């Protein structure tokens, strides 16, 4: 499977900007997407095709992807954004997920 | 509004077959744009994509290398659902199993089922 690497944890103060990275071989040549998961819930898509937001996802969520790294950025982070975040991409018709990043809003 | 309703046993004995069903409402398993996926999640393995099925004038399946020898994903057009069968399970297959829709077959999943916790134990 396609291996994607994320930092285990990221901390941010309320109102500040949080950045979560996802690294993979030539990831910039593929589409990356991001999911948010809160305890006891199913994952929710927050970014797809590198930069697009599904309807209902706040504008403070944005994404980028270049080289070997995709980045999820949350501007003006709120307490409700505290969750686990997972990146995902495809390689040769198989899907791969990053190990997840726990975002703590202190 | 698309919804995915999962069902199946929560306990499976080692060496037996794990079987789950995902009933689709608001879309069709035969959609020529969507793809239908199974994913599992465990503390040790995190989120793990298992496989998908999709229809494009004929049926296609893709499976993760890690389970390819043991997995079958079948569409059931009469019931508008898909199923997961994972053979010869071990305790390492203990996980929460999700079905999810990829609306365009482009690799992102916009609708997820609620998940089914499956424990492999004698």
């Amino acid at each position: 499977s396609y291996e994607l690497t994320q930092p285990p944890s990221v901390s941010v103060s309320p109102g500040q900007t949080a950045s979560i990275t996802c690294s993979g071989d030539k990831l910039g040549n593929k589409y990356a997407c991001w999911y948010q998961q809160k305890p006891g819930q199913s994952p929710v898509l927050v970014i797809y095709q590198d930069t697009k937001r599904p309807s209902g996802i706040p504008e403070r969520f944005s994404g980028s992807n270049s080289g070997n790294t995709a980045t999820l950025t949350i501007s003006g982070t709120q307490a409700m954004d505290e969750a686990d975040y997972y990146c995902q991409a495809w390689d040769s018709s198989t899907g791969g997920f990053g190990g997840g990043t726990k975002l703590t809003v202190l | 509004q698309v919804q995915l309703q999962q069902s199946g046993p929560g306990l499976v004995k080692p060496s037996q077959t794990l079987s789950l069903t995902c009933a689709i409402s608001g879309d069709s398993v035969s959609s020529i744009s969507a793809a239908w996926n199974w994913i599992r999640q465990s503390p040790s393995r995190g989120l793990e994509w298992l496989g998908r099925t999709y229809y494009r004038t004929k049926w296609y399946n893709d499976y993760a290398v890690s389970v390819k020898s043991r997995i079958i994903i079948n569409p059931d057009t009469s019931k508008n659902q898909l199923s997961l069968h994972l053979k010869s399970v071990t305790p390492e297959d203990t996980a929460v199993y999700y079905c999810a829709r990829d609306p365009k077959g482009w690799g992102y999943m916009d609708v997820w089922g609620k998940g089914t916790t499956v424990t492999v134990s004698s």
Side-chain angles (χ1 to χ4, degrees), chain A residues 13-57:
Chain A
S13 300
Q16 298 304 300
T17 296
S19 295
I20 299 173
T21 58
C22 173
S23 299
D25 185 44
K26 299 182 178 67
L27 180 56
N29 293 342
K30 312 174 195 302
Y31 277 133
C33 62
W34 292 89
Y35 302 93
Q36 176 194 71
Q37 187 179 33
K38 296 183 178 179
Q41 298 183 16
S42 303
V44 173
L45 181 70
V46 294
I47 293 290
Y48 68 100
Q49 291 186 324
D50 297 338
T51 61
K52 298 179 181 178
R53 272 180 297 103
S55 64
I57 300 302

Side-chain angles (χ1 to χ4, degrees), chain A residues 51-88:
Chain A
T51 61
K52 298 179 181 178
R53 272 180 297 103
S55 64
I57 300 302
E59 290 184 10
R60 63 180 181 273
F61 288 87
S62 63
S64 64
N65 186 13
S66 179
N68 294 320
T69 303
T71 302
L72 173 69
T73 302
I74 309 172
S75 305
T77 307
Q78 300 183 10
M80 68 172 64
D81 300 328
E82 187 163 285
D84 294 328
Y85 291 85
Y86 296 88
C87 60
Q88 186 222 323

Side-chain angles (χ1 to χ4, degrees), chain B residues 19-84:
Chain B
S19 294
L20 298 174
T21 299
C22 176
I24 302 162
S25 59
D27 201 345
S28 171
V29 71
S30 304
S31 165
I32 60 171
S33 60
W36 304 94
N37 296 263
W38 285 99
I39 302 102
R40 67 183 178 184
Q41 184 173 30
S42 65
S44 60
R45 301 169 77 105
L47 281 170
E48 181 182 12
W49 176 82
L50 298 176
R52 64 181 178 178
T53 190
Y54 56 98
Y55 183 74
R56 304 287 187 268
T57 73
K58 70 174 186 176
W59 288 101
Y60 293 87
N61 286 295
D62 295 312
Y63 297 129
V65 170
S66 61
V67 295
K68 193 168 188 175
S69 63
R70 301 191 291 132
I71 190 173
I72 296 174
I73 295 176
N74 280 329
D76 184 339
T77 57
S78 65
K79 295 182 179 178
N80 200 30
Q81 63 187 29
L82 67 155
S83 62
L84 167 70

